[in-house]
Amino acid sequence: MSSFTSARWLLPISKPPVADGWIEVGDGVIRRFGAGPPPTPGRHLGDVAILPGLVNAHTHLELSWMANLIPPAASMDEWMTQMLRLRRLGPPGGVEGLQRAAAVAAGTMHATGTVLVGDISNTLQAVGALRAAHLGGVVFHEILGFNVADAAQLVRDAWDRVSAVASPLDDGGAPVSITVAAHAPYSVAPAVFREIARRHASGPLTVHLGESNEEVEFLRTGRGPIRKTLERLGVWVESWPVPQCDPVEYMSRVGYLRPGLLAVHAVQLGDNALDRLGEAGATVVTCPRSNVWVGVGMPRLAHFYAADVPVAIGTDSLASVASLNMFDELAEMRRVAPEVSAASFLDSATRVGAEALGLGRHYGTLAPGKQAALIAVDIPPGVTDVEEYLVGGVPASAVRRLF
């Protein structure tokens, strides 16, 4: 059984906006869409834009309990020190407190138009929050370990934990897959990177990459604040071979630069490194509000879009950002990169994000056969550039899920 819905605007994403359009949905799948009156009468939403649900390609739901507890920092080292201190104390209410905060955060993402998430999880405690909120996507079970005696065992144990909670579908039918990934070049041993890559057959993989000057200095020289932190934590390895290269080259050397890689942040990557990511089939995931919060600076958004690499968007966690609302992220991107088109930003927040998570076949654009994971956004009368309006700061109250 199909139904027709019409509105002032349709945003297919892969094509220009359609004014006064209609869309047919049946059995949760888009059947067709077009301009003008619908073939059969249906509901008319009025001054509304219908578009694919948004994709938050990088967040950490399990850190949601840290909201408002870590102030903006002047450097990554300062922010990381505060975060680690807070994490050692643990969430109020223990595991249940963590799960409650994650559930609230996931519900907020759903309510503000997100349908797919790339979530980073050390504990896998937030998997249930995603499923309960009917959010699909990928949970990356993140491994840290700079001083590791048995990399194969570490990765094997991680996959065992994944197997214990993995399930392809929640009760609402949203796809949630779980895989194993590495945290960052400065927190994971080369052997662990290689072992994760060896066991990873295909699909999305992720890593925090090129985020801070401290990371670049560490890879170039083996010195700086990161070295001091590793020494303070008692995990520094004297025999660690200083790679003396940029982060992308390092990923190549450890076998982690591969198709499907989500290179998160990329604030400190030059144009050649960005192009190399594109050549490898990777995607940059930018999180500008978080980058400023943790003291690494604003990413070069215009350079990202000028480079030969796909760009997806994430919010990062509530430990380093005020909200997980993707429309807030889009508004910040528009503020700092007026030279990038609104259409490019919306493409990143939908199609590119879905493809980066390996779900582009079913999500990210309006097209026959794709899932009707659609959202409606109220548009003030008289708006003629709907794409520009959508990246200019949409209030949360104006957004709702359609199906």
Side-chain angles (χ1 to χ4, degrees), residues 26-102:
D27 298 322
V29 174
I30 297 170
R31 300 301 186 192
R32 51 181 172 154
F33 65 90
T40 301
R43 60 174 173 166
H44 180 62
L45 302 182
D47 288 320
V48 159
I50 297 174
L51 64 154
L54 306 185
V55 182
N56 188 338
H58 180 79
T59 190
H60 300 247
L61 277 174
E62 69 181 33
L63 301 184
S64 298
W65 65 273
M66 295 185 181
N68 303 314
L69 296 180
I70 305 177
S75 69
M76 183 72 177
D77 183 59
E78 177 187 325
W79 181 85
M80 187 72 73
T81 298
Q82 296 182 76
M83 191 275 288
L84 290 174
R85 183 182 300 120
L86 185 61
R87 197 163 195 168
R88 281 194 294 271
L89 295 174
V95 171
E96 290 184 358
L98 182 157
Q99 292 172 336
R100 282 194 299 271

Side-chain angles (χ1 to χ4, degrees), residues 56-64 105-106 109 114 116-121 130 135 138-140 142 206 208 264 285 287 313-321 323-324 326:
N56 188 338
H58 180 79
T59 190
H60 300 247
L61 277 174
E62 69 181 33
L63 301 184
S64 298
M109 283 198 289
T114 292
L116 297 178
V117 179
D119 187 56
I120 307 297
S121 179
L130 275 176
L135 292 170
V138 181
V139 175
F140 297 98
E142 182 182 77
T206 192
H208 298 75
V264 181
V285 181
C287 312
I313 303 170
T315 61
D316 217 318
S317 77
L318 289 174
S320 62
V321 75
S323 78
L324 303 186
M326 283 287 289

